Amino acid sequence: MVGSVVVNDSVVLLQVIGKVKPPAEEIEPAEIPTRSAPSGSENGGKKEIVLGRNLHSSSFRITEPEEDEELTGDCEAYMASVLAKYRRNLVERTKHHLGYPYNLDFEYGALSQLQPFSINNLGDPFIESNYGVHSRQFEVGVLDWFARLWELEKNEYWGYITNCGTEGNLHGILIGREVFPDGVLYASRESHYSVFKAARMYRMDCVKVKTLVSGEIDCSDFQAKLIENQEKPAIVNVNIGTTVKGAVDDLDLVIKLLEESGFENRFYIHCDGALFGLMMPFVKRAPKVTFRKPIGSVSVSGHKFIGCPVPCGVQITRKTHINAVSRDVEYLASRDATIMGSRNGHAPLFLWYALNRKGYRGFQKEVQRCLLSAHFLKGRLRAAGIGAMLNELSSTVVFERPQDDEFVRKWQLACEGNIAHVVVMPNVTVEKLCVFVDELVRVRSVWSSGGEISPPCIAAEVGRENCDCLLHLHGQ
Amino acid sequence: MVGSVVVNDSVVLLQVIGKVKPPAEEIEPAEIPTRSAPSGSENGGKKEIVLGRNLHSSSFRITEPEEDEELTGDCEAYMASVLAKYRRNLVERTKHHLGYPYNLDFEYGALSQLQPFSINNLGDPFIESNYGVHSRQFEVGVLDWFARLWELEKNEYWGYITNCGTEGNLHGILIGREVFPDGVLYASRESHYSVFKAARMYRMDCVKVKTLVSGEIDCSDFQAKLIENQEKPAIVNVNIGTTVKGAVDDLDLVIKLLEESGFENRFYIHCDGALFGLMMPFVKRAPKVTFRKPIGSVSVSGHKFIGCPVPCGVQITRKTHINAVSRDVEYLASRDATIMGSRNGHAPLFLWYALNRKGYRGFQKEVQRCLLSAHFLKGRLRAAGIGAMLNELSSTVVFERPQDDEFVRKWQLACEGNIAHVVVMPNVTVEKLCVFVDELVRVRSVWSSGGEISPPCIAAEVGRENCDCLLHLHGQ
C-alpha cells in the first residue's frame, strides 16, 4: 500500500516506506536474476508477449538506512552482498550469450580512473558548451574516424555519439523529414522496429516494403511502391544488416530505382548500419557504404561489433542537412541538433580507446574470424540435420527455433516466429559454438521424446535449400 | 583530405588514414580541453552562437596502431599519457563547476567491479528480454522507490530509467499526444528546450505561455490561451523547477484552470521535474507533486540532484496510459514502450546504490543544506551590490551576467541574456561560494576599469526589488 507521503515530515515518511530492511529471503532469491514470473507463456511454439504487467517480485528493494547506519554498516553490507552475487551472475550470463550482436569481449581497465567523473557532452559535439566536464575532444576524434571510413570530409560532415542504434535511426529519419517535410518513409518490413517507431513519433506516412527470403529489401516491390507515391519525396531506410537475418539491402539498386522512378533530388537515404556499418568495410565483395553516393546519413552502434559496457552509437550526416534540425539554445551556448540533451561523456572515451587499440587492421582480423566461425556454425547445424541459413555478408546464423524456452534463455537467443539466430561476435569462439551445437542436438532429441526427430518446415523463413524438413530435405 | 578508402585493401586503407602518429605538439595541446577556436564571440555582452562549424583542431586523433605495436607499446603509452592529463583536467574542471544542476559529489567505488560488463536493459523494464546481461532487478527497485515518492501503487504505474531529462520529456509528451492525438501542447516559454523540440518532432500544435518575473508560468495568460483553443484537448508541460530560474509552476492552479475552462477529462499533464522532482518533497511549503492529482507523468534526472557519472533519469507514468504508446517487438520478447531501444544498464545500479545509501533522510539533509547555501550566496551577492534573485523553493541563484567570458568559462556558469545562474548542489560548499563571490567582485572591478561600477539593469529578468542598477537601487 502506498501511504500518505507528507512533505518534509520524515516520521510519517519513514513509516510509509518502511524502515525495516526486508528479510533475507526477500533480498536473496535463489539465483539473483531468475524472475519468479516468466515473461511469456508457451503458445504453439511461439512466445506470447504479455503486456501491462509489473514484475516486482524479484527486484531489489531500496530500503531506508537506519539512523545508526554509520555505526552498524548494515546497509553497506547488504549492498555488498547483493552486488557480489549480481557480479557472479553477470559472469555466467556473459559466458552463455549468443543471440544479440554484442561483442562482450573488451578491456577498458585503463578508463576506470575516469569513472568518478560526471562527464556530459550536452549539446553539440563541435560547439563548446559552458559545462567543462566533457569529453568532446575524444568524441570529435571518434567522429573524424567514422567520417573518414564513410568518406566525408571533415568540414562536410556533422555527427555525434548517440545512446544507441535507435537514437541514430531516430535522428537520421528526423533529418530526412526536416529536409522533405511531406516525404514518405520507405522501409523493408525486416527493418529494425525503431524505424517504424520513428514514423509513428514523427507522424510520417510510412510504406512497408516486402523482403526476399534472405531478408533483403525486395526491390521490385520497392519500385512498385515508389510509383504509387510518386508525387511525394522519398525518405528511405536502407538496412546495412537487418536485425534478424543480417541481410544487407542493395544500396546501389535502391539509388538506381529512385533515380529511374523520377525521384532525382527528391530523396533522402538513411543507412541503418547498427551492426554491419562497421563490419562491411572489411568484407570482400560487400557493397560499399560511402557518402560519395547520394546518401544522407549513416548510423552504427558502438556496443555491438566494437564492444562497450554501455550502449552507444555513432551518427554521421552531411553538414548541409544539419541546419534543418538544429536550433539555438543559449542556455548551453550551443545548438540543439541532437535527439538527447545531456549525453554520456564516457561512451566517446570507450570508443576512442577501442579504435586506437584495434585500428582498421584489428577490426579486419576480427571480422574475418567472425565470418569464418559463422560458416563453421552453419555447417555444424546443417550436418546435424537442423535447417539453417547464413547470408553471404553476414555473421548472423538463422536456424530452426529451439522448442525449449529454458535452452533459449540459457543461450539468450533472439527468436522471431519459427526461427532463432546466433550472431557470431568477436567474443564467440569456435569452442563455444561446438558446446552450443552439441547441447542443442542433445536437447532436441529430448523434445522428440527419443523418437525420430521431425524438423519443422522453415523454408518460408530461410529458403528451401536451407530447410531440413522432410519435404525439403529430399530436394522438393 | 579524405582519400579513397578501398574496401578490404588494408594497404591503401592505411595510406589513407596515415600510419604515423601525430607529432607530440598535436596530441599534447598546452591544456587538454582548451579549444583553439572559441565557441562564440562577444556581441553586445551576449554570446553569439555560431552554427555549422566543425572544431577538430583540439580533438584527439585516432591513429592506426603500428604492426609491431604489441612489442613497442607505443600506442598504449600514448593513450596512457593522454588519459592521465585528461584526468587531471577533469579534477580541475569538476572543482570549479557552479552553473549546471549536477551534483558532482558521489562515490560509486563499490560498483567499479561491474564496469567490465555490457549491461543492457533493452526494451521494457518489467518484461524480461532474452538478453541476460541486464540490471532490471535494480531498475525496478529504483522505479518502485520513485512511484512511492509520487504516490502511485506498484500495480498502477509504469516507468523506466531514461538517458536524461530530455528523454523523460520526450516520453511524457509522446504519451500525452497518443492519449489525445489532436491535443495542443502548452508550455511556458521558460520550459526546457526539449519540450519545444518534442512539439516539433511530434508535429504537435504548441502554445507558448508567458511567464512571471519569477520564471513561473503566467496563469492568466495560460487561461486566456486555453480559451482560445477550447475545441482541442490540452497537453500541458508543468515545470517543477525551470532550467534558468528554478521556478516551480503552480500545479494546483494549472489543474484548477483546466477544469474551470471546460477541459475536464480532456487534459494530460506532464511534470518536468528534472532537478526539482527530487528536491521538492523535502522543501517546506512546496506544492506537492503526486499522482493523487490528475497528472499523467513525472520525470526527474538522475545525474542532477542525486549525482551520477552518466546522465540518466526516471520517468513514471500511469500504467493505463502506457498501452497508448507500446507495441510488441517479438525480437526482444518484450514490448516497445520506451523511446530508446538499448538502455544503459549501469545507470540503474548507480541510482539503486545512491538511494539505498542516502535514503529519504539523506536527501532531506542535502536539500536543506543546499537551500541554506543558496540563501547565503544571494545575500553575499546583494551585499556586494550585485543584482540577484532566488526563488523561495529553489537553490538556483540568478544574477547579473558577468562580462568576462573567461570568468564564465572558469566557473562554468550557464547564461541567458543579461543573467547567469549558480545552482547550489550538494557538492557546492559555502567555502566554494565565498571564493566565487570574492573572485567575482574582484574581476567586476576590473571590468569597470577601476572606476565606479555601474550595475546593469536586470529588473526585467529578476524584478525591481532584486535589481541593483542605479535606478532601482534607490527604490524606484
Side-chain angles (χ1 to χ4, degrees):
Chain A
M1 201 206 82
V2 173
S4 168
V5 179
V6 175
V7 176
N8 206 36
D9 184 341
S10 58
V11 179
V12 179
L13 206 60
L14 294 173
Q15 280 172 352
V16 169
I17 58 161
K19 282 178 67 172
V20 189
K21 293 215 188 307
E25 304 84 77
E26 196 172 331
I27 60 167
E28 294 178 3
E31 280 301 321
I32 280 178
T34 307
R35 312 203 78 102
S36 57
S39 65
S41 59
E42 200 60 34
N43 177 17
K46 192 161 175 277
K47 200 174 242 184
E48 203 174 59
I49 296 164
V50 182
L51 293 183
R53 292 193 303 160
N54 271 3
L55 299 181
H56 302 268
S57 51
S58 59
S59 70
F60 295 118
R61 274 190 70 186
I62 289 162
T63 57
E64 182 71 11
E66 302 285 340
E67 292 255 28
D68 57 354
E69 166 57 32
E70 283 183 25
L71 295 175
T72 65
D74 282 354
C75 174
E76 296 286 336
Y78 156 69
M79 289 195 290
S81 112
V82 168
L83 292 173
K85 281 188 187 170
Y86 177 60
R87 189 183 177 283
R88 283 202 296 281
N89 180 265
L90 290 180
V91 170
E92 194 279 327
R93 299 273 69 199
T94 294
K95 207 160 63 186
H96 287 106
H97 170 261
L98 287 180
Y100 292 80
Y102 307 150
N103 177 10
L104 304 186
D105 182 20
F106 49 75
E107 193 347 71
Y108 292 114
L111 300 178
S112 61
Q113 60 178 317
L114 306 176
Q115 204 210 317
F117 298 96
S118 183
I119 311 177
N120 192 335
N121 290 355
L122 64 172
D124 195 292
F126 298 102
I127 302 176
E128 204 176 13
S129 111
N130 287 349
Y131 183 60
V133 189
H134 65 78
S135 62
R136 281 181 175 72
Q137 58 277 54
F138 295 90
E139 182 175 19
V140 173
V142 170
L143 295 173
D144 282 351
W145 191 92
F146 278 95
R148 211 156 53 212
L149 183 70
W150 295 322
E151 302 185 301
L152 201 48
E153 298 278 350
K154 274 191 187 182
N155 59 354
E156 288 180 356
Y157 88 86
W158 183 90
Y160 74 107
I161 294 186
T162 60
N163 284 292
C164 56
T166 289
E167 189 174 352
N169 288 343
L170 289 183
H171 195 269
I173 293 168
L174 184 61
I175 299 173
R177 194 200 69 176
E178 296 301 277
V179 171
F180 295 115
D182 63 337
V184 172
L185 177 63
Y186 298 82
S188 89
R189 62 183 186 80
E190 299 198 30
S191 301
H192 190 254
Y193 61 91
S194 58
V195 172
F196 305 108
K197 171 154 68 182
R200 182 169 167 182
M201 279 169 69
Y202 301 153
R203 293 188 155 164
M204 297 170 77
D205 288 335
C206 177
V207 173
K208 267 194 195 183
V209 181
K210 288 182 192 161
T211 46
L212 307 175
V213 168
S214 67
E216 279 173 70
I217 191 167
D218 178 342
C219 276
S220 63
D221 188 53
F222 177 54
Q223 188 171 29
K225 284 175 172 153
L226 278 177
I227 289 166
E228 280 171 30
N229 296 282
Q230 213 153 12
E231 73 287 358
K232 289 185 175 170
I235 296 160
V236 189
N237 176 71
V238 169
N239 295 308
I240 309 301
T242 58
T243 317
V244 175
K245 295 180 179 173
V248 177
D249 292 345
D250 188 336
L251 174 61
D252 294 328
L253 186 52
V254 164
I255 293 171
K256 186 166 167 276
L257 291 177
L258 283 163
E259 290 177 343
E260 284 178 4
S261 309
F263 285 82
E264 201 152 8
N265 300 323
R266 289 199 306 136
F267 67 87
Y268 179 96
I269 292 175
H270 170 68
C271 296
D272 174 7
L275 168 61
F276 262 43
L278 194 49
M279 295 178 74
M280 291 265 295
F282 309 107
V283 178
K284 272 187 188 140
R285 295 181 307 280
K288 201 167 159 187
V289 174
T290 165
F291 280 91
R292 298 188 171 199
K293 299 175 183 175
I295 62 173
S297 45
V298 184
S299 59
V300 66
S301 294
H303 59 296
K304 291 183 178 159
F305 193 74
I306 301 174
C308 191
V310 297
C312 59
V314 171
Q315 162 76 345
I316 298 282
T317 184
R318 295 179 193 275
K319 205 159 65 173
T320 48
H321 290 326
I322 201 59
N323 290 328
V325 292
S326 67
R327 56 183 292 280
D328 288 16
V329 184
E330 198 193 0
Y331 173 65
L332 296 178
S334 189
R335 65 178 172 189
D336 178 28
T338 60
I339 301 273
M340 293 295 131
S342 285
R343 297 189 299 107
N344 184 344
H346 293 269
L349 290 158
F350 292 123
L351 297 180
W352 180 85
Y353 189 81
L355 296 178
N356 260 310
R357 279 190 81 188
K358 294 187 179 177
Y360 289 77
R361 252 193 310 261
F363 286 120
Q364 189 169 43
K365 274 187 208 157
E366 289 190 339
V367 168
Q368 284 164 357
R369 213 178 55 224
C370 288
L371 294 182
L372 282 175
S373 302
H375 275 278
F376 169 82
L377 171 61
K378 184 201 165 191
R380 282 290 303 267
L381 289 169
R382 295 306 307 274
I386 300 171
M389 177 180 87
L390 172 61
N391 276 312
E392 189 196 358
L393 307 172
S394 168
S395 70
T396 301
V397 179
V398 179
F399 58 98
E400 168 201 318
R401 180 180 190 149
Q403 290 169 40
D404 181 331
D405 268 6
E406 196 44 53
F407 180 83
V408 166
R409 249 196 299 274
K410 173 178 174 185
W411 291 97
Q412 302 161 53
L413 304 177
C415 300
E416 194 173 80
N418 295 316
I419 54 174
H421 76 201
V422 161
V423 186
V424 179
M425 286 283 98
N427 65 315
V428 176
T429 59
V430 165
E431 293 70 34
K432 193 180 283 189
L433 293 174
C434 288
V435 172
F436 169 74
V437 174
D438 290 347
E439 196 176 316
L440 176 58
V441 168
R442 204 163 54 241
V443 293
R444 201 160 168 262
S445 74
V446 174
W447 306 330
S448 62
S449 318
E452 189 161 337
I453 297 170
S454 166
C457 178
I458 54 170
E461 286 89 356
V462 300
R464 288 168 172 223
E465 68 282 14
N466 295 312
C467 181
D468 265 345
C469 79
L470 289 177
L471 184 70
H472 295 116
L473 186 62
H474 303 296
Q476 290 176 44
Chain B
M1 200 207 83
V2 173
S4 168
V5 178
V6 174
V7 176
N8 206 36
D9 185 341
S10 57
V11 179
V12 179
L13 207 58
L14 295 174
Q15 282 172 350
V16 169
I17 59 162
K19 281 178 71 173
V20 188
K21 293 211 189 311
E25 304 83 79
E26 195 168 335
I27 60 167
E28 294 177 3
E31 281 300 319
I32 280 179
T34 308
R35 313 203 77 104
S36 57
S39 65
S41 59
E42 201 62 32
N43 177 18
K46 192 161 174 275
K47 200 174 241 182
E48 203 173 59
I49 295 164
V50 181
L51 294 184
R53 293 194 302 160
N54 271 2
L55 299 182
H56 302 267
S57 50
S58 59
S59 71
F60 294 118
R61 273 190 68 186
I62 290 163
T63 56
E64 183 71 10
E66 303 284 340
E67 291 257 28
D68 57 353
E69 166 56 33
E70 284 183 23
L71 295 176
T72 64
D74 282 354
C75 174
E76 296 286 336
Y78 157 68
M79 289 195 290
S81 112
V82 169
L83 292 173
K85 282 188 186 169
Y86 177 60
R87 188 183 177 286
R88 282 201 298 278
N89 180 266
L90 289 179
V91 170
E92 195 278 326
R93 298 273 70 200
T94 294
K95 207 161 61 188
H96 287 106
H97 169 261
L98 287 180
Y100 293 81
Y102 307 150
N103 176 9
L104 304 186
D105 180 21
F106 48 75
E107 193 344 74
Y108 292 114
L111 299 179
S112 61
Q113 59 178 318
L114 305 176
Q115 203 211 320
F117 298 97
S118 181
I119 310 179
N120 191 334
N121 290 354
L122 64 172
D124 196 292
F126 298 102
I127 302 176
E128 203 176 13
S129 110
N130 287 349
Y131 183 61
V133 189
H134 65 78
S135 63
R136 280 182 175 70
Q137 58 275 54
F138 295 90
E139 182 174 19
V140 173
V142 170
L143 296 174
D144 282 353
W145 191 92
F146 278 95
R148 213 157 50 213
L149 183 70
W150 295 322
E151 301 186 301
L152 200 48
E153 298 277 351
K154 274 192 187 182
N155 59 353
E156 287 179 358
Y157 89 85
W158 183 90
Y160 75 106
I161 293 184
T162 60
N163 285 293
C164 56
T166 290
E167 188 174 353
N169 288 343
L170 290 183
H171 195 269
I173 293 168
L174 184 60
I175 298 174
R177 195 200 69 176
E178 296 300 277
V179 172
F180 295 115
D182 63 338
V184 172
L185 177 63
Y186 298 81
S188 90
R189 62 184 186 81
E190 299 199 32
S191 302
H192 190 253
Y193 62 89
S194 59
V195 171
F196 305 107
K197 171 154 68 179
R200 181 168 168 184
M201 278 171 68
Y202 301 154
R203 293 186 155 166
M204 296 169 77
D205 288 337
C206 178
V207 174
K208 268 194 195 181
V209 181
K210 288 181 191 160
T211 46
L212 308 175
V213 168
S214 66
E216 280 173 71
I217 190 167
D218 177 342
C219 277
S220 64
D221 189 53
F222 177 54
Q223 188 171 30
K225 284 179 171 152
L226 277 177
I227 289 165
E228 280 172 29
N229 296 280
Q230 213 155 12
E231 72 289 356
K232 289 185 176 171
I235 297 160
V236 188
N237 176 72
V238 169
N239 295 308
I240 308 302
T242 58
T243 316
V244 175
K245 295 181 179 173
V248 177
D249 291 345
D250 188 336
L251 174 61
D252 294 328
L253 185 51
V254 165
I255 293 171
K256 186 167 166 276
L257 290 177
L258 283 163
E259 289 176 343
E260 284 178 3
S261 309
F263 286 82
E264 200 152 9
N265 301 321
R266 289 198 307 137
F267 68 86
Y268 179 97
I269 292 175
H270 170 68
C271 296
D272 175 5
L275 168 62
F276 262 44
L278 195 50
M279 295 179 74
M280 291 265 293
F282 310 107
V283 179
K284 273 185 188 143
R285 294 181 309 279
K288 201 168 159 184
V289 174
T290 165
F291 280 93
R292 297 187 172 199
K293 298 177 182 173
I295 61 173
S297 44
V298 184
S299 58
V300 67
S301 294
H303 58 297
K304 291 183 178 159
F305 193 73
I306 302 175
C308 190
V310 297
C312 59
V314 171
Q315 161 75 346
I316 299 281
T317 183
R318 295 180 193 273
K319 205 159 68 174
T320 48
H321 289 326
I322 201 58
N323 290 327
V325 291
S326 67
R327 56 181 295 278
D328 289 16
V329 184
E330 199 193 1
Y331 172 68
L332 297 178
S334 191
R335 65 178 172 187
D336 178 29
T338 58
I339 301 273
M340 293 295 133
S342 285
R343 297 189 299 107
N344 184 345
H346 293 269
L349 290 159
F350 292 122
L351 297 181
W352 181 86
Y353 189 81
L355 295 178
N356 260 309
R357 279 190 81 188
K358 294 189 178 175
Y360 289 78
R361 252 192 310 261
F363 286 119
Q364 190 169 41
K365 273 186 210 158
E366 289 188 339
V367 168
Q368 284 165 356
R369 215 179 51 226
C370 289
L371 294 182
L372 283 174
S373 303
H375 275 278
F376 170 82
L377 171 61
K378 185 199 162 191
R380 282 290 302 265
L381 289 169
R382 294 307 307 274
I386 299 171
M389 176 181 86
L390 171 61
N391 275 311
E392 188 196 359
L393 307 172
S394 169
S395 70
T396 301
V397 179
V398 179
F399 57 98
E400 168 200 319
R401 183 180 188 149
Q403 290 168 41
D404 180 329
D405 267 8
E406 198 43 55
F407 180 83
V408 167
R409 250 198 297 275
K410 172 177 174 186
W411 290 97
Q412 304 159 53
L413 304 177
C415 301
E416 195 175 81
N418 295 318
I419 54 174
H421 76 201
V422 161
V423 186
V424 179
M425 286 283 99
N427 65 314
V428 176
T429 59
V430 165
E431 293 71 35
K432 192 180 287 189
L433 293 173
C434 290
V435 173
F436 168 75
V437 175
D438 290 347
E439 195 176 318
L440 176 58
V441 169
R442 203 163 54 242
V443 293
R444 201 159 167 264
S445 73
V446 174
W447 308 327
S448 62
S449 317
E452 190 159 339
I453 296 171
S454 165
C457 178
I458 53 170
E461 287 88 355
V462 301
R464 290 168 171 226
E465 69 281 16
N466 296 311
C467 181
D468 265 345
C469 78
L470 289 177
L471 184 69
H472 295 115
L473 187 61
H474 302 295
Q476 292 175 44

